[in-house]
Amino acid sequence: MLDDVLSTVAARHDASLSALKEWLAIPSVSAQPDHKADMMRAAQWLADQLKFAELETSIMPTPGHPIVVAKNKHVPGRPTVLFYGHYDVQPAEPLELWETPAFEPTVRDGKLFARGASDDKGQVWCHVAAIQAWQAHGGVPVNLTVLVEGEEEVASANLEGFLRSYAEDLRADVALISDTGMFDADTPAITTGLRGLMYAEVTVQGAKSDLHSGLYGGAVPNPCNVLCQLLGSLKDADNRVTIPGFYDDVQEPAADELAAWSKLDRSDEALANELGLKKLDGEAGRSTLERLWSRPTCDVNGILGGYTGEGAKTVLPSKAMGKVSFRLVPAQDPKKIQAAFEQQLRAQAPDSVELSFRYFGAEPAALTPADSPAMTLARQAVEIGFGKEPALICGGGSIPVVGLLKQQLGLDTLLVGFGLGDDNLHAPNEKFDLVQLQNGTATAAALYGKLADLPMK
């Protein structure tokens, strides 16, 4: 049966591309209120496509943008798969840097250019097209629930409450997401782990107002100086974080993981050149893939204070602010890191200033066991879709929904993505290679076939 479905996928490639262009032409920018009607149009377009695949489909309202939910007929004794994606996209600005308009999908050199082409409409469409292909042969052989939200690009503010409210309806044996990427254009991949995130803002307050540096310099605290000293103390000369207890829960990768990573072809020099750097940098004694996939980080994301305009202004700023992010690995507790970070800065700050803190995220890392039955089946599906065995990789960033699905529904997530590193996500000239569309759709079709053999909870 799967061979017949794959033949249908191949035969429908041109029609699939045309349909995806229609969806991409809808400017579903969740961050901009002017596109509220476009958000509903994008949701309705997707719902219509899922109805065409004979799934029972609803557009569910939220306090923000709606969520599309679709189900086939759930048959007792079959495993249940929950597919998650998002139909909202990033703003297209700066518009002048696009070679062709962001919402006029254009094919050039075997690539489809449009906002949302890879993140995430193109990857979601691979699954919808695969479901439609299965429908031509009697339907997917699993109990399937599709959930596609419209607020991922604005932090999914209403998703947690939705999952909690509809937890019983969304019960499944495994979750499936395609919002990640391949290792490179020649190496398909499954992402087994994602680093977590703790994001903080620290403000140093000095005098009640800015002061003249000549009249007061040397006699009053300078919040910019204090902030730089505090932030500079967070890492040592080997780029290791100095916060007490920071590494207590960090686990080393298994020997077989390190051996597999060492075989992946990644040139540090090539990556540095691609990024416009003289060379890469990071924690001493670690390879680049270790630094990206298995080691926690501490980075200053922004500093604000004093005079930053043209020319000179002899001023002692009254306050300075810094934003700091920590990428965390499995077993690290974001709340524990948050408390330790604040404790260290308060202990090191002079009594002449006051510190205040704000926090904007505390997401734990996510990990899917590489030897789980679902992972074994997913590896087989990717090999069918791309013609070669996938690499098992980790992601340096975080996908909050993965943690939410684990927290609210108790689900592990298969992260099987089809994007490439040069897809220009969130940037002008975003694209999705047509070969990724074809192979991604074939992989999605194979996934639903293979996951029919998943042991049920």
Side-chain angles (χ1 to χ4, degrees):
M1 178 68 74
L2 179 56
D3 288 341
D4 294 334
V5 174
L6 294 173
S7 295
T8 299
V9 166
R12 291 181 175 180
H13 175 69
D14 290 345
S16 176
L17 174 60
S18 295
L20 176 56
K21 285 181 176 181
E22 289 182 10
W23 200 23
L24 291 170
I26 303 173
S28 50
V29 182
S30 54
Q32 297 175 343
D34 289 350
H35 289 291
K36 183 176 181 180
D38 294 318
M39 293 296 297
M40 179 55 76
R41 282 205 298 138
Q44 185 63 62
W45 187 95
L46 175 61
D48 290 343
Q49 294 294 324
L50 292 167
K51 289 176 183 176
F52 178 73
E54 298 186 26
L55 272 61
E56 183 178 340
T57 305
S58 302
I59 300 177
M60 308 288 286
T62 77
H65 300 301
I67 295 175
V68 178
V69 178
K71 288 186 175 186
N72 64 350
K73 182 179 180 180
H74 285 202
V75 178
R78 296 199 311 189
T80 302
V81 177
L82 173 64
F83 173 75
Y84 164 89
H86 64 93
Y87 65 87
D88 63 322
V89 302
Q90 283 278 321
E93 288 79 2
L95 301 178
E96 68 275 9
L97 296 184
W98 287 78
E99 292 186 28
T100 50
F103 296 107
E104 295 180 14
T106 304
V107 174
R108 301 194 301 273
D109 302 320
K111 302 172 177 61
L112 176 60
F113 290 85
R115 172 57 84 228
S118 181
D119 183 19
D120 183 35
K121 285 180 177 176
Q123 299 201 58
V124 170
W125 179 248
C126 288
H127 286 265
V128 178
I131 294 166
Q132 291 179 345
W134 268 105
Q135 191 57 45
H137 300 277
V140 294
V142 297
N143 295 335
L144 176 63
T145 301
V146 175
L147 187 158
V148 183
E149 67 156 320
E151 297 183 323
E152 195 274 346
E153 301 293 5
V154 288
S156 299
N158 294 293
L159 183 60
E160 181 175 357
F162 186 89
L163 295 179
R164 189 184 305 113
S165 297
Y166 294 95
E168 188 64 27
D169 294 329
L170 298 173
R171 284 199 311 168
D173 296 294
V174 70
L176 176 60
I177 296 177
S178 292
D179 197 8
T180 51
M182 311 213 330
F183 180 74
D184 58 35
D186 297 318
T187 312
I190 300 174
T191 301
T192 62
L194 296 166
R195 288 190 292 193
L197 175 68
M198 195 284 282
Y199 197 103
E201 176 185 290
V202 55
T203 298
V204 180
Q205 180 69 53
K208 63 181 180 180
S209 64
D210 291 353
L211 300 172
H212 190 292
S213 66
L215 294 177
Y216 295 98
V220 301
N222 183 324
C224 280
N225 290 353
V226 173
L227 178 66
C228 289
Q229 291 166 358
L230 293 176
L231 298 182
S233 75
L234 291 172
K235 298 177 79 172
D236 63 18
D238 289 328
N239 277 312
R240 283 180 60 86
V241 179
T242 60
I243 296 172
F246 185 78
Y247 294 99
D248 285 357
D249 299 319
V250 176
Q251 301 172 359
E252 293 290 337
D256 58 343
E257 283 185 289
L258 289 174
W261 295 352
S262 69
K263 295 176 183 178
L264 293 172
D265 183 18
R266 167 158 290 184
S267 164
D268 286 359
E269 183 178 359
L271 180 58
N273 289 336
E274 179 184 329
L275 299 175
L277 296 169
K278 292 182 179 179
K279 64 177 184 178
L280 303 181
D281 196 9
E283 185 181 353
R286 303 286 177 170
S287 70
T288 296
L289 290 185
E290 282 184 271
R291 293 168 181 168
L292 291 173
W293 293 351
S294 70
R295 302 299 294 171
T297 69
C298 168
D299 287 293
V300 177
N301 298 138
I303 296 176
L304 181 65
Y307 178 70
T308 58
E310 189 70 26
K313 182 181 182 183
T314 53
V315 62
L316 296 176
S318 62
K319 66 180 179 180
M321 179 270 287
K323 293 182 183 288
V324 185
S325 67
F326 295 83
R327 294 292 177 175
L328 307 177
V329 296
Q332 280 187 302
D333 181 351
K335 294 295 185 181
K336 179 180 176 181
I337 300 302
Q338 177 179 303
F341 163 74
E342 183 169 334
Q343 182 178 355
Q344 170 158 316
L345 265 58
R346 288 194 183 280
Q348 294 187 357
D351 294 339
S352 55
V353 300
E354 293 183 1
L355 300 189
S356 59
F357 294 83
R358 298 173 66 198
Y359 296 100
F360 299 94
E363 300 292 338
L367 183 66
T368 299
D371 58 354
S372 70
M375 186 67 71
T376 299
L377 295 169
R379 293 171 73 171
Q380 295 171 5
V382 174
E383 188 167 2
I384 290 171
F386 283 87
K388 59 176 62 177
E389 186 176 350
L392 300 184
I393 66 175
C394 295
S398 58
I399 301 179
V401 68
V402 175
L404 284 178
L405 291 173
K406 184 69 173 180
Q407 179 188 62
Q408 298 295 328
L409 304 178
L411 293 178
D412 288 327
T413 299
L414 293 172
L415 294 163
V416 185
F418 315 126
L420 297 177
D422 64 352
D423 280 346
N424 295 321
L425 307 184
H426 297 197
N429 302 305
E430 181 180 350
K431 58 86 175 172
F432 194 44
D433 289 23
L434 298 188
V435 69
Q436 303 305 108
L437 173 62
Q438 183 66 27
N439 291 341
T441 305
T443 297
L447 275 165
Y448 295 116
K450 289 294 181 180
L451 289 174
D453 295 328
L454 182 67
M456 296 172 58
K457 289 184 178 179

